[in-house]
Amino acid sequence: MSVNLDSKLIAPCGINCGTCVAFFGYTMNGKKRRHPCSGCWSRERPCAFIKKKCKKLASKQIHYCFECTDFPCQTLKSLDKRYIEKYGLSLIGNLKHIQKNGINEFLKYEQERWKCPNCSGVVCVHNKKCYTCGFTR
Ligand SMILES: [Zn+2]
């Protein structure tokens, strides 16, 4: 199974929804969810982290957080800090990458970054596991 990464899978906060544990159909503590999450853009319900705290995102005034005059805001900074500590990933870093090189370059970068060395599936950002073949990095 090859990676089919779409710009719709890149959330406003810079996370790649395609690598999220919820997207694979699981919760953070490994339980199976009733429905896999289809990603921040394709579902109408506000993102659990940023969107519900941000009027500009909720009213679709901006697409990515870096388009905001307050970028990076306190909400994003605390989420970024948590991601760096827990998952070794900077969301602000992702956003700056998109801002600088464009979304298509970022998608290419992400495709390589999360490619499973075993089956070319996608490795999950949260638990470093490939849900296609079970490989853990
Ligand atoms: Zn794999």
Side-chain angles (χ1 to χ4, degrees):
M1 198 173 93
S2 72
V3 186
N4 202 353
L5 194 53
D6 189 294
S7 63
K8 281 197 197 76
L9 285 177
I10 308 301
C13 66
I15 195 170
N16 177 351
C17 290
T19 65
C20 176
V21 68
F23 185 79
F24 293 109
Y26 292 86
T27 66
M28 287 285 188
N29 45 32
K31 289 203 190 91
K32 205 157 168 57
R33 294 164 63 104
R34 206 179 305 168
H35 301 288
C37 177
S38 53
C40 288
W41 283 114
S42 49
R43 57 181 221 158
E44 277 304 302
R45 204 148 55 87
C47 161
F49 305 114
I50 299 276
K51 203 169 154 191
K52 72 176 177 192
K53 291 181 184 162
C54 176
K55 284 198 183 106
K56 285 182 199 163
L57 279 176
S59 61
K60 296 180 179 158
Q61 287 178 56
I62 53 171
H63 189 96
Y64 297 112
C65 284
F66 65 73
E67 294 162 15
C68 182
T69 44
D70 296 332
F71 173 74
C73 68
Q74 201 47 56
T75 310
L76 183 62
K77 274 198 259 184
S78 31
L79 183 65
D80 186 59
K81 186 165 175 277
R82 198 146 56 85
Y83 264 75
I84 291 170
E85 282 166 6
K86 289 182 82 171
Y87 312 115
L89 170 85
S90 168
L91 304 178
I92 294 175
N94 279 2
L95 285 165
K96 286 186 173 162
H97 190 129
I98 300 168
Q99 192 175 28
K100 191 166 167 240
N101 308 297
I103 188 67
N104 288 329
E105 269 308 306
F106 181 71
L107 290 174
K108 273 189 224 159
Y109 171 74
E110 284 291 287
Q111 201 138 358
E112 286 308 310
R113 190 188 196 183
W114 303 106
K115 192 192 266 176
C116 170
N118 193 38
C119 77
S120 298
V122 184
V123 173
C124 172
V125 59
H126 295 117
N127 56 25
K128 310 292 185 262
K129 178 180 164 182
C130 169
Y131 282 96
T132 308
C133 73
F135 171 88
T136 304
R137 140 165 129 183

